[in-house]
Amino acid sequence: MQENHTEYSEAMKSIDWFIMNIKKKHWTVLFFTASFIVSFIESSGRSDFDIYKLAAIDLMKGINPYSHSFIDGYYYYYSLLFAYMIYPFTFLASQMSALLWLMLNSVLLYYIIIQIAIFLNISKLTHKTQFVFYTLLLLINLRFIRENYHSAQVTILILFLILYSLKYLYEEKHILSALLLALSINIKLLSLPILVYYLYRGYWKTSFYTIFFILLFLLIPAIWLPIHFYSDCMKQWLLLINPFDTKHLLDTEERSFHSITTLISTLFHKNTNDVYALPIRRYIVDLNIEQVKNLILIARIIFISSALLVIRSMPFNKVSNVFRLFFDFSYISALIPIIFPHQQHYAFILQMPATSVLIHYLITNQVSKLNWLIFMLVFFCFNLKIILGTFNEYYDHFKILTYGGLLVIFWLFYISFKVKFSQNNFSQLKH
C-alpha cells in the first residue's frame, strides 16, 4: 500500500514538473498544430461557409442573395456587408478558402481564450491551477469548438468581436469598442443584448458610436448598389429574420435547433411539425399554438429580467471593477443562445465566458460536491454527442443541450449572490 502511494506521489510530481516546465510558446505551438490538423480535415467537407461564398457571388452578379435558398434548402441570413467581406475567399479553391477561414477562426479562438484569462486574472494562479483551468475550459466547450469548425460558422468571430468590444469599453477606447460591437451586430443580430447592456450601464459614448456604426455598415452597400436592388435585398432579409414568423415561434423545423423557444414547443405542444422527431413522447401537456406562444414570451421575459437581478444596479451606473463587468457580460452572453430563436448547437460557444467564470469559481474555492456534480452534468449535456455519438438523435429529440445551457444560466445566477467583487478577483465567497 505504501509502495503504491509512493508511486502515485512520484507520478504527481512528474506531472507537476511537466506543467511547470512547458513554456507558453510551446502551448501556443500545440494549440495551432491541433487547430491546423482539425481545420485541414474539416475544410474538405461542405459547410455553411459555402453558403456565404455562394451568397457573395450572387450579390456580385446582382442577384438578391436572400431571395432563394442555397445548399440543401438553407438560406443566407447575414448582412450584405459580410457577403462583401467574404467575397475575396471565392477566388481560392474550395478547400483552400475553407482552410484559410478555419485558421482565421483558430487565431480568433486563441485570442478569445487569452482575453478571458486576462479578465479572470488567471496568471495570478499557480501553474498547476492554470493548467486545470485551461483544460476544463477547452473540455467543456469541446463540442461547440468542434461544431464551429465542422460548420465553418461565424459564431467564433461574433464572440471575439463582443469580447474585445468589452475589453476596449473598459479601457475607454470608445470608438474601437463601438466599431467591434457594431460589426458583430451587422453580421448577426445576436449581439444586440450587449448593446442594451452598454446603454443600461450608461456607457453613452460607446453606445451612440455603436448605433452610428450599425447604421453606417447597413447603408454602406447602398452607395454602389442600385437603390431598388438594395431595397429589395433589405425587404427580403427582414422577412427571413422576422422573429414573428410562425416557424420561428415554434422553431422545430430542424432537429438540431436548441433554445428556450424549441424546448417549450417540444414540451408543451404535441404536433410541432418536426419531421425528424422520434416516435417517443416528449411533451408534458398538449397546449394550443397561442398558449405555447404566450409561454415562450413569458419565459423570455423571465430570462431577460433575470439579468437585472444579476447586475443588481440602478440604470446608468458605470462599472469600475473589471471582474464585475466581465461577470455581467458572461451572464448576458450565456442568455443569447437561450432567448434567441433558430439557434444551432454551435451558438452555445457564446456560453464560453460563463463556463470560464464557473470553472474559475470551482478551482479557486472550497465548494461542495454539488457544484462539481452540476459541472459534470453540464459537461455531459454539452458533450454527449462527442462522448457517445450513437444516440445523437435522442439527444436532439429531448433537447439535452438546451438543458445544459439552462444549467449554466441557473448556476451562474446562483453564484452571483455568493461572490464578492474585489480588484484582485471575484470568486471569494461572501461571509
Side-chain angles (χ1 to χ4, degrees):
M1 191 74 177
Q2 181 67 32
E3 190 176 317
N4 289 337
H5 179 73
T6 304
E7 289 177 359
Y8 176 78
S9 299
E10 290 299 321
M12 291 305 297
K13 287 179 182 178
S14 299
I15 292 171
D16 289 344
W17 181 90
F18 177 76
I19 294 170
M20 287 285 290
N21 285 276
I22 291 187
K23 296 180 180 179
K24 181 182 176 181
K25 64 180 180 181
H26 296 144
W27 289 117
T28 302
V29 169
L30 179 61
F31 175 87
F32 282 107
T33 300
S35 297
F36 178 79
I37 293 170
V38 173
S39 298
F40 183 78
I41 293 170
E42 295 293 355
S43 64
S44 60
R46 201 165 58 180
S47 66
D48 291 353
F49 190 63
D50 294 312
I51 296 175
Y52 309 156
K53 291 189 294 181
L54 290 171
I57 291 170
D58 275 4
L59 184 59
M60 297 302 290
K61 291 179 178 178
I63 302 171
N64 186 341
Y66 306 110
S67 64
H68 57 282
S69 62
F70 293 93
I71 302 168
D72 296 332
Y74 290 103
Y75 285 84
Y76 176 74
Y77 290 98
Y78 310 113
S79 69
L80 292 176
L81 183 62
F82 182 65
Y84 282 112
M85 292 167 62
I86 288 295
Y87 185 66
F89 286 94
T90 64
F91 293 101
L92 300 173
S94 179
Q95 184 169 7
M96 180 58 69
S97 64
L99 178 61
L100 186 60
W101 172 253
L102 291 175
M103 285 309 297
L104 173 61
N105 274 264
S106 299
V107 173
L108 298 178
L109 180 61
Y110 176 79
Y111 280 102
I112 286 169
I113 295 169
I114 293 297
Q115 188 54 49
I116 284 174
I118 292 172
F119 276 130
L120 293 173
N121 212 4
I122 295 299
S123 62
K124 298 297 182 182
L125 303 176
T126 65
H127 284 79
K128 186 177 179 179
T129 308
Q130 289 183 50
F131 176 79
V132 171
F133 171 81
Y134 288 119
T135 301
L136 293 180
L137 183 63
L138 289 172
L139 283 176
I140 201 167
N141 290 282
L142 185 61
R143 177 188 177 184
F144 311 137
I145 295 170
R146 188 263 175 187
E147 296 294 352
N148 272 277
Y149 276 73
H150 182 67
S151 299
Q153 254 289 328
V154 298
T155 322
I156 290 176
L157 171 60
I158 297 297
L159 180 55
F160 172 84
L161 292 172
I162 61 176
L163 187 66
Y164 276 79
S165 171
L166 186 76
K167 163 185 161 64
Y168 294 126
L169 175 82
Y170 183 75
E171 295 175 357
E172 298 186 351
K173 297 176 181 178
H174 306 291
I175 293 179
L176 191 51
S177 174
L179 192 67
L180 295 179
L181 181 55
L183 181 58
S184 174
I185 294 170
N186 175 265
I187 294 171
K188 204 168 184 178
L189 296 177
L190 292 179
S191 308
L192 274 172
I194 306 301
L195 174 58
V196 175
Y197 175 69
Y198 287 3
L199 286 166
Y200 184 87
R201 279 295 191 183
Y203 292 103
W204 302 119
K205 281 187 179 180
T206 303
S207 298
F208 291 144
Y209 282 137
T210 301
I211 294 168
F212 169 76
F213 284 129
I214 289 172
L215 294 174
L216 180 65
F217 293 154
L218 198 63
L219 294 172
I220 279 177
I223 297 172
W224 57 80
L225 289 175
I227 190 64
H228 68 278
F229 178 72
Y230 173 79
S231 176
D232 186 49
C233 286
M234 289 295 97
K235 288 177 183 176
Q236 200 66 41
W237 175 66
L238 289 172
L239 286 173
L240 279 179
I241 65 170
N242 177 17
F244 301 105
D245 191 319
T246 303
K247 68 180 181 180
H248 291 160
L249 288 169
L250 288 183
D251 219 20
T252 53
E253 75 232 39
E254 291 184 39
R255 187 166 60 196
S256 56
F257 283 162
H258 295 275
S259 70
I260 195 66
T261 313
T262 309
L263 183 62
I264 289 176
S265 296
T266 57
L267 290 178
F268 297 100
H269 192 61
K270 180 179 179 180
N271 299 313
T272 57
N273 296 321
D274 181 357
V275 296
Y276 300 104
L278 299 176
I280 303 173
R281 175 171 174 164
R282 59 182 173 180
Y283 68 94
I284 300 170
V285 61
D286 187 22
L287 303 179
N288 63 47
I289 295 293
E290 287 305 314
Q291 289 173 319
V292 172
K293 289 179 182 178
N294 292 333
L295 203 56
I296 290 169
L297 178 61
I298 292 169
R300 283 191 178 134
I301 291 171
I302 290 172
F303 277 106
I304 293 169
S305 300
S306 71
L308 298 176
L309 295 176
V310 170
I311 294 169
R312 289 199 298 280
S313 170
M314 294 298 290
F316 319 135
N317 287 329
K318 292 182 180 179
V319 183
S320 59
N321 187 305
V322 66
F323 306 106
R324 170 85 262 184
L325 190 68
F326 182 62
F327 194 99
D328 294 349
F329 169 87
S330 298
Y331 189 81
I332 293 166
S333 180
L335 283 176
I336 290 173
I338 294 295
I339 63 174
F340 274 81
H342 227 63
Q343 294 308 297
Q344 295 276 8
H345 30 73
Y346 45 70
F348 281 77
I349 200 170
L350 292 172
Q351 290 200 338
M352 180 182 270
T355 55
S356 74
V357 171
L358 295 172
I359 291 167
H360 186 273
Y361 175 76
L362 283 174
I363 64 177
T364 57
N365 289 280
Q366 290 184 345
V367 298
S368 66
K369 291 180 180 179
L370 178 62
N371 284 275
W372 283 104
L373 177 60
I374 295 171
F375 177 82
M376 292 305 298
L377 284 173
V378 172
F379 172 78
F380 283 115
C381 285
F382 282 178
N383 292 292
L384 271 174
K385 185 175 181 179
I386 292 176
I387 298 167
L388 198 61
T390 308
F391 304 103
N392 283 345
E393 55 187 9
Y394 293 93
Y395 308 147
D396 284 337
H397 181 75
F398 291 106
K399 306 302 170 188
I400 300 300
L401 170 56
T402 309
Y403 288 111
L406 290 172
L407 267 177
V408 167
I409 290 169
F410 295 149
W411 191 15
L412 195 61
F413 180 84
Y414 169 74
I415 70 167
S416 71
F417 296 92
K418 298 284 289 181
V419 300
K420 66 178 182 179
F421 297 86
S422 69
Q423 291 302 321
N424 296 317
N425 61 62
F426 67 86
S427 53
Q428 293 177 355
L429 290 175
K430 281 184 176 178
H431 296 289

